[in-house]
């Protein structure tokens, strides 16, 4: 028994010694001088000026600390080292005891006050580690656990690496409480208007960070100024020294260039741009320097720096950034696939974990995600949105524009599908051989519109669509058009056919008016700039490059000749056209739908779960089946092997099938049946007797590219309808609106006020009405288009006019004409002073834009007149204390019937 005990004690010592050596190497990589055997307190090692050192076995009143970290003469952290299988998170408590009982040497330079509540800690920071690399799913047993003891509500957390000496010194200088106190006093007097919802987003973010949240999500509709909001937020948190360096991550260079220009051009205070105030490093600079406050980088570049550094470079320290902001955080960023307990016994987390998530985990920083379309995989990383401002809210508030009911372009082929009868010879394009072949089909082949331009090349269908587009779109117009195609080949075809259709429609067309902008195009970033800033191209044909993050306000037409199965992607595509454009007088945008994308996406939610499929090949699965030791693991790997083979067996060439049968002694189909019935204990032996099977299945050269059918079926236009809903005509839509107003109206107090007492209606109540209508499927734009389509008259009556017409039978009148009539009535009502007349005209102009002017509107700092001597108190004096009565009378005049 004694011998066994001694042996166990020796093993513990060896485990601890090995852990210390691992921790030594990790600390050394982070910039610390460390040698656990020689740099020990008991051997006379003491702190020295200008030396960042980890001294082992430092005595404290509560026992010796495994390490104490010194930055020069200043003791800054205590470290508790544990064996590899020890719960490392719980060991922070032991490190806290060392901080409480730290005993300084004569050389130590101690601060004037202690740290934490009631000054119970003598060192501000603590660490615990067991040498194991960080694994999120085993976070309590892995990584380096860190505690900031300066505030009791700072929770311990796992890090992917050690803080550098510079990082700890910088962290110690940050006073979060003082920063948040200063943030509470900061104004928004910047060189650009910060809208109400943008202020709310910023203040909410600051509050949540102040509460200790370290990952948060902001959801703001495309076009509502996420970048400007972000610039104001970053400016404030840097100015108050809440953070010292921000990493601004984007997923593509075009977005990074756009963001960099915004930082350089946006004026903040005293006419200084953001870049004049804080140092910025752009995409082409991989490493920040001491003066860098904001570093822009692509996620791809950061993956390279963090996860795959070259032999001559080292990864950045985990403290290089203390705040990471991810723009368009929904894009291509996939949630880690969770390893099951069985998989953890034999697989590395690197098989599954997304590189994006690993980069975010790597830096000890507050993470802020920005997106217009939060999805499940986004919220799993950043949490649910702490602030949301939706597209519909922005439309209702007048910051974005709505789209008209879509033009649904239906052709004979899109309605009936493309059909080849049994025995027909189908032209097939072989992308591998780059040639056409004939394929005789043994059965009927039917391809529906969702596979057009993907599974089948159909020139006639695209010709019909392009001819209809040419009737509705003028290539010489300053209104831009964006067309979404299925792939690069399809984009080339559409460019060609659309130019031909324009030439047929208009007699001639400039060759540069229609251009393909995809990743395969020549200098796509330059083409994007041309599309935004120059007259040509007026039509851009793309696949994915212009789906997100590109700001071209002149886009007035969106065309869908491709299906997408992602609601998120579709919403992002719509977001390309939602921005206001005053130079064009843009108040709506149009959608042309040739593939019934609206109909297809009705049942698809934006919160679809996404998981990364592991890139494990057949060879690796076969090896695992020979290596795993439990029945549960064997069954798991067997099922994955079978599922993978089920997908691939239809794409094997004849030679691959022959090689498979030679190796396995049976066909792939028979192998699947046999393998499913094989006892788990025999699986490993079977693969040992049949080596090479995985290699055969992993051969990339043996994968047959899916055939692309070429359709020569004639096509013609069947109809173009407007998308009020499936089978809904404009008269049906207007009748449904009338029924809603007259049956549901009494349940909406604000709507009752509009109908019975319009003078009492407030902006807040009007917003409530618009939301209720929006939820019911009614919008001002759709009502206007339906009425105009039915009456063949252009009447811009605005939403209040449509409501009162439905409820009371009021005649519809163009809104501007109605406001001018009310103004004329007010001016003729009594004698006004010149300043009073001037302000009545301003109120009328604002009514034309925003539908309603009330006290809240007059005090709104976002409205121009606030800076031009406006505001309710001053104007009330101007109107002899009768301003509210004047506003009420004006709103009454809007709805007076002409005698």
């Amino acid at each position: 028994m004694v011998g066994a005990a001694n042996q166990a004690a020796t093993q513990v010592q060896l485990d601890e010694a090995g852990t210390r050596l691992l921790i030594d190497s990790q600390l050394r990589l982070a910039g610390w001088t460390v040698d656990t055997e020689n740099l020990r307190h008991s051997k006379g090692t003491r702190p020295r000026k200008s030396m960042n050192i980890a001294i082992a076995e430092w005595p404290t009143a509560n026992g010796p600390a495994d390490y104490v970290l010194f930055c020069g003469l200043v003791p800054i952290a205590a470290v508790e080292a544990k064996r590899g299988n020890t719960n490392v998170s719980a060991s922070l408590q032991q490190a806290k005891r060392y901080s409480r009982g730290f005993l300084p040497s004569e050389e130590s330079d101690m601060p004037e006050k202690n740290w934490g509540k009631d000054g119970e800690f003598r060192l501000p920071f603590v660490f615990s580690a067991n040498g194991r690399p960080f694994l999120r799913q085993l976070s309590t047993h892995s990584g380096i656990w860190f505690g900031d003891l300066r505030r009791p509500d700072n929770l311990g957390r796992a890090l992917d690496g050690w803080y550098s000496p510079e990082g700890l010194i910088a962290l110690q200088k940050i006073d979060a409480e003082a920063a948040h106190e200063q943030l509470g006093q900061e104004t928004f007097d910047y060189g650009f208007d910060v809208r109400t919802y943008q202020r709310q987003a910023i203040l909410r973010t600051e509050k949540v960070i102040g509460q200790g949240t370290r990952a948060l999500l902001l959801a703001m509709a495309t076009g509502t100024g996420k970048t400007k909001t972000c610039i104001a937020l970053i400016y404030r948190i840097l100015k108050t020294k809440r953070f010292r360096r921000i990493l601004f991550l984007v997923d593509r260079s075009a977005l990074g260039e756009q963001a960099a220009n915004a930082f350089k051009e946006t004026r903040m205070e005293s006419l200084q741009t953001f870049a004049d105030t804080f140092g910025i490093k752009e995409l082409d600079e991989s490493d920040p320097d001491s003066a860098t406050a904001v570093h822009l980088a692509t996620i791809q570049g950061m993956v390279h720096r963090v996860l795959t550094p070259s032999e001559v470079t080292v990864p950045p320290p985990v403290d290089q950034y203390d705040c990471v902001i991810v723009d368009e955080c929904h894009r291509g960023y996939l949630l880690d696939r969770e390893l099951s307990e069985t998989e953890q016994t034999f697989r590395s987390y690197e098989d599954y974990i997304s590189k994006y998530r690993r980069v975010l985990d790597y830096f000890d920083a507050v993470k802020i995600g920005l997106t217009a379309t939060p999805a499940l995989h986004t919220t799993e990383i950043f949490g649910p949105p702490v602030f949301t401002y939706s597209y519909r809210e922005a439309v209702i508030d007048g910051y974005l524009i709505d789209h008209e009911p879509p033009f649904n372009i239906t052709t004979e082929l899109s309605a009936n599908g493309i059909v080849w009868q049994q025995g027909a010879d189908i032209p097939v394009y072989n992308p591998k051989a780059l040639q056409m072949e004939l394929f005789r089909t043994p059965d009927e082949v039917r391809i529906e519109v969702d596979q057009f331009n993907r599974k089948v090349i159909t020139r006639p269908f695209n010709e019909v669509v392009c001819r209809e587009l040419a009737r509705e779109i003028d290539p010489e117009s300053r209104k831009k058009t964006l067309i979404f195609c299925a792939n690069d080949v399809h984009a080339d075809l559409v460019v060609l056919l659309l130019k031909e259709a324009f030439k047929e429609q208009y007699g001639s067309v400039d060759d540069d008016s229609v251009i393909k902008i995809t990743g395969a195009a020549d200098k796509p970033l330059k083409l994007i700039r041309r599309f935004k800033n120059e007259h040509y191209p007026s039509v851009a044909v793309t696949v994915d490059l212009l789906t997100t993050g590109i700001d071209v306000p002149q886009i007035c037409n969106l065309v869908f000749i491709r299906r997408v199965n992602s609601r998120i992607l579709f919403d992002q595509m719509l977001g390309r056209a939602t921005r206001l454009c005053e130079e064009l007088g843009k108040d709506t945008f149009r959608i042309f739908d040739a593939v019934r994308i609206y109909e297809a996406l009705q049942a698809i939610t934006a919160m679809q779960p996404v998981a990364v499929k592991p890139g494990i090949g057949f060879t690796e699965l076969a090896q695992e089946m020979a290596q795993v030791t439990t029945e549960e693991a064997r069954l798991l790997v067997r099922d994955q092997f079978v599922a993978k083979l089920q997908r691939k067996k239809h794409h094997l060439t004849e030679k691959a099938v022959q090689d498979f049968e030679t190796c396995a002694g049976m066909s792939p189909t028979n192998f699947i049946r046999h393998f499913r019935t094989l006892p788990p204990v025999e699986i490993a032996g079977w693969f040992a007797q049949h080596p090479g099977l995985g290699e055969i299945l992993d051969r990339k050269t043996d994968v047959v590219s899916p055939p692309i059918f070429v359709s020569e079926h004639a096509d013609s236009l069947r109809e173009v309808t407007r998308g009020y809903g499936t089978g809904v005509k404009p008269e049906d839509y207007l009748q449904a609106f009338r029924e809603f107003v007259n049956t549901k109206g009494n349940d909406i107090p604000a709507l009752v006020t509009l109908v019975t007492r319009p003078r009492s209606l407030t902006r807040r109540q009007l917003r409530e009405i618009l939301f209720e209508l929006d939820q019911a499927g009614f919008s001002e734009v759709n009502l206007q288009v339906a009425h105009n389509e039915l009456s063949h008259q252009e009447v811009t009556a605005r939403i209040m006019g449509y409501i009162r017409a439905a409820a009371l039978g009021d005649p519809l009148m163009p809104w501007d004409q109605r406001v001018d009539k009310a103004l004329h009535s007010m001016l003729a009502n009594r004698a006004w002073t010149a300043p009073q007349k001037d302000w009545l005209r301003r109120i009328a102009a604002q009514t034309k834009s925003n539908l309603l002017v009330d006290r809240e509107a007059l005090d709104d700092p976002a409205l121009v007149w606030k800076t031009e001597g406006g505001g309710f108190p001053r104007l009330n004096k101007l109107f002899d204390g009768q301003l509210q009565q004047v506003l009420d009378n004006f709103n009454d005049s809007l709805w007076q019937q002409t005698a």
Side-chain angles (χ1 to χ4, degrees):
M1 291 291 291
V2 174
N6 289 338
Q7 185 177 4
T10 301
Q11 183 60 47
V12 168
Q13 292 173 353
L14 289 173
D15 288 347
E16 290 180 348
T19 297
R20 292 286 191 91
L21 290 174
L22 279 173
I23 293 175
D24 275 11
S25 64
Q26 293 169 353
L27 282 168
R28 198 172 293 116
L29 192 63
W32 297 94
T33 299
V34 59
D35 184 343
T36 191
E37 289 299 321
N38 299 307
L39 298 180
R40 306 168 74 91
H41 184 277
S42 60
K43 293 187 177 182
T45 304
R46 298 293 183 271
R48 297 182 228 167
K49 289 183 178 180
S50 304
M51 176 178 275
N52 301 312
I53 189 170
I55 301 179
E57 302 300 331
W58 188 276
T60 77
N62 300 315
D66 290 326
Y67 301 89
V68 170
L69 306 182
F70 287 86
C71 293
L73 300 178
V74 179
I76 201 163
V79 179
E80 171 62 16
K82 290 296 184 182
R83 286 179 295 156
N85 61 352
T86 304
N87 183 326
V88 69
S89 63
S91 301
L92 272 183
Q93 295 300 321
Q94 195 167 341
K96 286 182 180 180
R97 286 197 288 108
Y98 299 146
S99 175
R100 290 189 188 97
F102 175 76
L103 300 174
S105 64
E106 293 181 2
E107 299 85 356
S108 302
D109 184 4
M110 296 296 293
E112 294 181 2
K113 63 176 183 177
N114 288 351
W115 308 95
K117 187 178 181 180
D118 302 324
E120 64 176 308
F121 297 109
R122 307 209 69 189
L123 303 177
F125 308 118
V126 290
F127 294 89
S128 62
N130 59 11
R132 295 179 65 175
F134 173 70
L135 174 58
R136 170 169 291 278
Q137 292 168 292
L138 299 173
S139 60
T140 60
H141 285 73
S142 66
I144 297 145
W145 273 75
F146 170 70
D148 183 345
L149 306 182
R150 294 174 297 169
R151 289 174 54 183
D153 56 351
N154 286 336
L155 303 182
R157 55 186 182 267
L159 307 181
D160 211 343
W162 289 89
Y163 260 77
S164 67
E166 297 77 16
L168 282 182
I169 292 171
L171 180 60
Q172 186 177 335
K173 291 179 180 178
I174 289 180
D175 187 336
E177 289 185 12
H180 282 284
E181 185 176 341
Q182 185 179 343
L183 281 170
Q185 301 170 0
E186 279 290 307
T187 66
F188 288 89
D189 295 329
Y190 305 131
F192 64 96
D193 290 329
V194 183
R195 297 169 178 169
T196 301
Y197 66 87
Q198 293 173 326
R199 296 183 186 203
Q200 293 170 345
I202 292 168
L203 293 174
R204 177 61 180 162
T205 301
E206 293 170 352
K207 180 179 179 180
V208 170
I209 292 174
Q211 293 170 342
T213 302
R214 295 186 62 80
L216 56 146
L217 182 65
L218 295 179
M220 296 173 64
T222 298
T224 56
K226 288 193 298 294
T227 301
K228 284 293 177 70
T229 303
C230 197
I231 288 174
L233 172 64
I234 293 174
Y235 184 84
R236 290 164 62 87
I237 58 182
L238 287 175
K239 178 183 176 182
T240 57
K241 299 182 180 178
R242 176 58 183 87
F243 298 107
R244 60 185 176 84
R245 183 178 296 134
I246 315 290
L247 173 62
F248 193 89
L249 276 179
V250 297
D251 84 311
R252 54 180 65 180
S253 298
L255 299 184
E257 180 181 293
Q258 190 169 288
N261 290 336
F263 278 108
K264 289 185 286 188
E265 295 168 2
T266 302
R267 298 195 178 279
M268 304 305 297
E269 295 177 299
S270 303
L271 299 180
Q272 296 267 302
T273 67
F274 185 101
D276 291 334
T277 309
F278 296 109
I280 292 179
K281 290 281 188 181
E282 297 187 41
L283 298 181
D284 57 348
E285 300 175 278
S286 61
D287 294 304
D289 54 38
S290 59
T292 302
V294 178
H295 186 194
L296 288 87
T298 63
I299 184 65
Q300 297 86 349
M302 197 53 63
V303 164
H304 179 70
R305 283 187 59 209
V306 171
L307 304 181
T308 58
S310 66
E311 294 181 0
V312 297
T313 60
V314 295
V318 297
D319 53 65
Q320 188 160 86
Y321 312 99
D322 52 354
C323 181
V324 177
I325 297 178
V326 188
D327 193 21
E328 305 289 356
C329 64
H330 64 279
R331 242 196 92 77
Y333 306 143
L334 302 181
L335 172 66
D336 308 339
R337 181 196 184 281
E338 295 293 329
L339 272 68
S340 68
E341 291 184 7
T342 303
E343 288 171 306
Q344 289 178 28
T345 64
F346 64 93
R347 281 192 184 148
S348 166
Y349 80 104
E350 292 181 352
D351 293 331
Y352 293 100
I353 194 166
S354 70
K355 293 176 181 177
Y356 165 66
R357 183 64 177 269
R358 288 176 65 189
V359 167
L360 290 184
D361 283 340
Y362 183 82
F363 294 108
D364 184 40
V366 170
K367 285 90 176 179
I368 303 173
L370 303 175
T371 183
T373 48
L376 183 61
H377 62 272
T378 320
T379 58
E380 289 288 348
I381 294 175
F382 296 96
V386 300
F387 178 83
T388 299
Y389 189 68
S390 68
Y391 166 61
R392 299 309 307 174
E393 286 179 281
V395 168
I396 288 170
D397 290 341
Y399 293 117
L400 295 179
I401 63 169
D402 207 349
H403 62 78
E404 299 177 10
F407 290 84
N408 297 319
I409 302 174
T410 304
T411 75
E412 292 299 330
L413 289 181
S414 68
N416 301 320
I418 296 174
V419 181
W420 286 273
Q421 299 300 326
Q422 179 181 4
D425 289 330
I426 305 177
V428 174
Y429 174 66
N430 185 336
K432 184 177 178 182
L434 299 178
Q435 63 183 22
M436 296 293 297
E437 301 171 354
L438 281 179
F439 166 70
R440 177 159 293 180
T441 172
D443 302 298
E444 179 186 270
V445 173
R446 176 181 293 272
I447 299 178
E448 301 296 345
V449 67
D450 61 313
Q451 292 296 328
F452 281 18
N453 305 309
R454 292 184 185 277
K455 197 171 182 179
V456 59
I457 299 172
T458 167
R459 182 183 179 112
F461 166 76
N462 287 286
E463 283 179 333
V464 173
V465 172
C466 287
R467 280 199 297 270
E468 181 59 26
L469 292 176
R471 294 179 65 250
E472 294 287 345
I473 297 170
D474 182 355
E476 292 301 315
S477 171
R478 293 165 59 217
K479 297 180 178 181
K480 303 274 186 174
T481 299
L482 184 58
I483 301 177
F484 295 106
C485 290
N487 49 49
D488 208 68
V489 173
H490 181 215
D492 286 329
L493 177 62
V494 168
V495 168
L496 174 65
L497 296 179
L498 192 56
K499 288 180 181 179
E500 291 177 354
F502 279 146
K503 183 177 181 180
E504 180 182 340
Q505 181 73 23
Y506 297 102
S508 65
V509 62
D510 193 293
D511 191 54
D512 284 342
S513 63
V514 184
I515 288 182
K516 178 183 78 172
I517 306 180
T518 69
D522 181 44
K523 297 183 178 179
L525 293 183
K526 184 177 180 180
L527 292 177
I528 291 173
R529 286 193 291 270
R530 282 180 55 191
F531 184 53
K532 179 177 181 177
N533 299 319
E534 301 178 17
H535 180 57
Y536 293 139
S538 58
V539 179
V541 182
T542 190
V543 179
D544 286 321
L545 195 61
L546 295 174
T547 54
T548 58
I550 303 300
D551 178 7
V552 184
Q554 301 94 325
I555 295 176
C556 297
N557 303 300
L558 295 180
V559 180
F560 292 93
I561 323 181
R562 64 170 286 193
R563 279 278 189 94
V564 294
N565 296 320
S566 165
R567 182 79 208 187
I568 294 174
L569 181 57
F570 179 63
D571 288 344
Q572 289 285 329
M573 289 171 165
L574 291 183
R576 298 312 97 215
T578 59
R579 288 175 172 83
L580 297 165
C581 185
E582 293 184 5
E583 65 176 281
L584 296 179
K586 175 182 170 185
D587 52 10
T588 64
F589 67 95
R590 300 188 298 173
I591 296 173
F592 298 87
D593 180 3
V595 290
R596 302 203 296 270
I597 191 170
Y598 266 81
E599 177 185 322
L601 288 175
Q602 281 180 346
I604 295 181
T605 171
M607 298 296 283
Q608 292 289 326
V610 181
V612 178
K613 294 182 179 179
I616 296 180
F618 288 99
T619 301
E620 188 173 350
L621 287 169
Q623 291 170 349
E624 286 180 352
M625 279 186 275
Q627 294 167 356
V628 295
T629 57
T630 68
E631 179 174 331
E632 186 179 8
R634 291 192 188 102
L635 290 174
L636 176 66
V637 181
R638 181 197 69 182
D639 291 344
Q640 292 183 350
F641 192 100
V642 168
K644 195 176 182 73
L645 182 55
Q646 288 278 28
R647 293 191 298 270
K648 185 158 186 177
K649 68 180 182 180
H650 302 293
H651 302 289
L652 296 174
T653 62
E654 184 177 346
K655 182 177 184 306
V657 173
Q658 291 175 352
D659 290 346
F660 184 98
E661 292 177 351
T662 299
C663 180
M666 62 191 84
S667 69
T669 301
N670 289 336
F671 168 81
I672 290 171
R673 294 197 194 99
H674 171 72
F675 203 40
R676 281 174 169 167
T677 61
L678 200 65
V681 294
E682 299 179 16
I683 290 176
W686 192 94
F687 271 92
Q689 295 170 15
H690 301 82
L693 190 65
E695 183 274 329
I696 293 170
L697 294 173
D698 279 333
R699 293 176 192 164
K700 295 192 185 320
T701 54
D702 285 337
V703 177
V704 178
S705 298
I708 301 176
F709 298 116
V710 178
S711 166
E712 298 172 356
H713 295 70
D715 201 3
S716 60
L717 183 69
R718 173 180 282 195
E719 62 178 354
V720 178
T721 59
R722 302 304 294 271
Y724 300 102
T726 304
V728 178
K729 298 178 181 179
E731 54 266 36
D732 301 329
Y733 185 77
L734 294 174
Q735 178 60 32
F737 175 71
R738 285 191 289 269
E739 291 176 359
F740 178 85
V741 169
N742 289 293
T743 59
K744 301 290 185 181
N746 291 331
D747 300 329
I748 306 171
L751 198 147
V752 173
T753 300
L754 171 60
V755 173
T756 61
R757 302 184 310 279
R759 66 183 292 151
S760 302
L761 190 71
T762 65
R763 281 207 308 173
R764 191 180 303 274
Q765 289 177 313
L766 179 58
R767 199 167 187 266
E768 291 174 9
I769 293 172
L770 295 175
F771 270 114
E772 291 286 350
L773 292 175
D774 192 75
Q775 292 295 313
F778 300 108
S779 71
E780 181 179 277
V781 169
N782 283 10
L783 290 168
Q784 180 179 313
V785 172
H787 180 272
N788 294 348
E789 190 174 346
L790 196 60
S791 65
H792 304 292
Q793 295 179 351
E794 293 286 336
V795 179
T796 310
R798 303 305 301 266
I799 191 66
M800 292 194 293
Y802 289 114
I803 291 172
R804 288 179 60 89
L808 304 173
D810 280 5
L812 287 175
M813 180 186 297
W815 183 246
D816 286 4
Q817 181 180 328
R818 185 180 289 278
V819 175
D820 289 339
K821 174 175 162 289
L823 175 63
H824 179 76
S825 174
M826 289 289 293
L827 291 174
N829 188 43
R830 50 163 278 194
W832 303 93
T833 67
Q836 288 173 340
K837 289 181 180 179
D838 180 49
W839 276 103
L840 282 173
R841 293 187 182 97
R842 293 192 186 195
I843 289 170
Q846 196 61 229
T847 302
K848 289 181 179 180
S849 300
N850 293 329
L851 294 179
L852 188 75
V853 174
D854 60 1
R855 178 167 187 158
E856 180 187 350
L858 292 171
D859 286 331
D860 189 342
L863 298 179
V864 175
W865 53 28
K866 181 72 175 178
T867 61
E868 296 179 354
F872 190 91
R874 183 179 184 279
L875 293 182
N876 193 38
K877 290 183 178 180
L878 180 70
F879 282 94
D880 304 318
Q882 299 296 312
L883 179 58
Q884 187 60 57
Q885 184 65 40
V886 169
L887 294 175
D888 290 345
N889 290 341
F890 185 86
N891 289 329
D892 265 346
S893 299
L894 288 170
W895 307 107
Q896 286 178 352
Q897 299 295 322
T898 303

